[in-house]
Amino acid sequence: MHLQIGGRGLRFYPAYLDREAQLEVLAAIRGVLASAPLFSPRMPKSGRPMSVGMSNCGPLGWFSDEGGYRYRREHPDTGRPWPFIPDPLLQVWRQVADYAHAPEACLINYYGPHAKMGLHQDRDEADFAAPVVSVSLGDSCLFRVGGDNRRDPTRSFRLNSGDVLVLGGDARLAFHGVDRIYPQTSTLLAKGGRINLTMRRVTRAPA
Ligand code: SIN
Ligand code: FE2
């Protein structure tokens, strides 16, 4: 069961992963972070650090610094290729993406109690036919989503641990962001905070 929000492309699956499945994904992500540690992305131009910690898995990883937003094949600090996307996440993609090809990138965002993410579009990918599939773990957040223009009206709702959100179709380029974290709303992460995983297709898929 999923809820449709706004147009057809935004699909919300509350509590998609039960506790056991969340722990399985978390253990896999801890494994990824052991070889691809969180780094601090910086804003294009200003170079100001973002409040979230990031890493990636998959052949390509999203990255941002003074030079702008882009995907890279290697971790910016270790220089090593990103680890593989863990199976339990690929399984979520296969179940909800409604897209024939595998994701190429899974961005890992870690939010401490004061982190947030400004309203933005995910548009650094060559192919918008594929959706962005988002998995939330740990503390809840207040998520905001609007339309294709920054000024379009937005709606806000909570994303809780285990929720899955799909931005596809007419919502693929919807502006979205995280206004705040609600600390201590989940016991999944021993030290608190929120992990969000977004799987994306980056290059144009073979026809
Ligand atoms: C993102 O837009 O990259 C993250 C969204 C989220 O944290 O839910
Ligand atoms: Fe995003």
Side-chain angles (χ1 to χ4, degrees), residues 150-164:
R150 186 175 284 282
R151 299 242 179 120
D152 288 345
T154 62
R155 62 187 78 206
S156 297
F157 52 97
R158 272 189 189 228
L159 287 180
N160 301 317
S161 196
D163 289 354
V164 169

Side-chain angles (χ1 to χ4, degrees), residues 33-55:
L33 293 177
S35 60
L38 293 172
F39 61 87
S40 290
R42 298 190 299 278
M43 294 296 290
K45 299 204 183 98
S46 74
R48 280 188 39 198
M50 297 186 184
S51 59
V52 295
M54 287 186 184
S55 189

Side-chain angles (χ1 to χ4, degrees), residues 39-89:
F39 61 87
S40 290
R42 298 190 299 278
M43 294 296 290
K45 299 204 183 98
S46 74
R48 280 188 39 198
M50 297 186 184
S51 59
V52 295
M54 287 186 184
S55 189
N56 291 274
C57 44
L60 293 168
W62 192 85
F63 175 75
S64 173
D65 66 4
E66 288 81 346
Y69 303 147
R70 60 204 184 271
Y71 283 91
R72 330 174 11 133
R73 295 193 173 276
E74 303 88 22
H75 190 288
D77 300 333
T78 69
R80 287 197 298 262
W82 305 104
F84 294 113
I85 302 178
D87 260 345
L89 277 174

Side-chain angles (χ1 to χ4, degrees), residues 52 54 107 109 111 117-118 120 122 132 134-136 141 143 159 165 176-178 194-198 200:
V52 295
M54 287 186 184
L107 172 63
N109 287 142
Y111 298 76
M117 187 174 290
H120 66 275
D122 290 358
V132 173
S134 144
V135 176
S136 293
C141 78
F143 186 80
L159 287 180
L165 188 68
H176 58 279
V178 171
R194 170 175 185 262
I195 292 176
N196 177 260
L197 308 162
T198 44
R200 304 112 186 269

